[in-house]
Amino acid sequence: FQWGSKDVPERSRIVVRKAGISKPVFELQNPSLNVQAPAFEDGDYTWEIIASVQGGFDISSRKRFSFKVLPIPPFPPVSFTMPAENEVLNTSFFKEHREIAFAWNPIKDATHYRFSLYDANKQLVFKTDIVAKDFEKDGFTFTDIARLSRGSFYVEVQAQWRLNKGKVFQNGKVSRLHFEIDIPQKRTVTTHETGILYGN
């Protein structure tokens, strides 16, 4: 934001409001003539300068100026590289692996990936946010195998760009991967009558 005044203000304040929200989304006391504001969500905004000179004379801007922030286009969906779509993980797989490694192509400018794992009934099994730098270095490995059982599962991954305070600035399109776990069902354990134990 840029503004100016013929007279030097004794007090000044820049106020930015978003349509539909009464509380200002940005406010700064005695700002410089060039103000760098934080990132704003998409929507309609107004801004004004409220100022006065010595003696209390009001020299505020005569009207509120308006501007629009357009929605940011979403990141493209990721492409899974591991496991393969509809891959079946069977007993031989789990004999060699105590985890499931997931991999996808990195998305430029993404800072995080939201990873969600669902069962066949669309019940959430596991959810986490992965830092993009860590993913590109080590990938992502799901180690809590005890949460899984025989059946179908779905993984969803969404690229995100988050600001320093964690607020999501740009989302991506969600990618979905289906895989199955095919392990023998547990058989019911039966016991034999122990008879009379020694000492009884």
Side-chain angles (χ1 to χ4, degrees):
F1 297 92
Q2 293 182 333
W3 65 284
S5 174
K6 293 180 180 179
D7 301 306
V8 178
E10 184 181 33
R11 294 183 182 87
S12 61
R13 181 162 54 107
I14 184 172
V15 180
V16 182
R17 293 181 173 87
K18 185 178 182 182
I21 301 176
S22 58
K23 186 178 178 180
V25 295
F26 177 71
E27 194 170 5
L28 186 63
Q29 297 287 344
N30 299 318
S32 64
L33 300 181
N34 291 278
V35 179
Q36 179 65 56
F40 295 136
E41 297 176 341
D42 59 284
D44 295 317
Y45 294 83
T46 62
W47 73 285
E48 63 181 325
I49 297 292
I50 301 173
S52 62
V53 295
Q54 193 171 12
F57 291 104
D58 186 7
I59 59 167
S60 303
S61 51
R62 293 184 178 179
K63 64 176 183 178
R64 292 182 180 180
F65 300 92
S66 60
F67 65 97
K68 180 187 292 286
V69 176
L70 297 176
I72 298 175
F75 285 125
V78 304
S79 297
F80 290 97
T81 56
M82 186 170 61
E85 176 69 19
N86 299 321
E87 184 169 344
V88 178
L89 309 180
N90 52 25
T91 304
S92 60
F93 173 87
F94 288 106
K95 283 183 178 179
E96 298 181 5
H97 306 86
R98 296 300 180 188
E99 68 280 324
I100 303 174
F102 294 92
W104 55 84
N105 66 303
I107 300 296
K108 183 181 179 183
D109 296 328
T111 61
H112 293 76
Y113 298 99
R114 174 151 287 184
F115 179 95
S116 304
L117 175 62
Y118 299 90
D119 62 18
N121 297 320
K122 297 183 179 181
Q123 295 297 313
L124 182 65
V125 177
F126 176 80
K127 188 175 186 178
T128 189
D129 293 326
I130 304 164
V131 177
K133 291 180 180 178
D134 296 340
F135 169 77
E136 292 170 13
K137 181 176 64 176
D138 301 323
F140 177 70
T141 302
F142 180 74
T143 57
D144 198 358
I145 299 300
R147 294 194 182 195
L148 306 180
S149 60
R150 187 178 188 183
S152 295
F153 292 88
Y154 301 88
V155 166
E156 290 184 352
V157 171
Q158 181 184 37
Q160 294 181 329
W161 174 12
R162 297 187 182 180
L163 304 178
N164 292 335
K165 294 184 179 180
K167 186 175 184 179
V168 176
F169 185 65
Q170 183 177 10
N171 266 317
K173 295 180 180 179
V174 177
S175 293
R176 199 176 197 210
L177 171 75
H178 167 258
F179 67 96
E180 292 192 22
I181 293 180
D182 184 17
I183 53 178
Q185 290 182 325
K186 295 180 181 179
R187 290 177 293 180
T188 303
V189 176
T190 57
T191 59
H192 298 289
E193 176 61 45
T194 57
I196 299 175
L197 296 178
Y198 178 77
N200 286 349

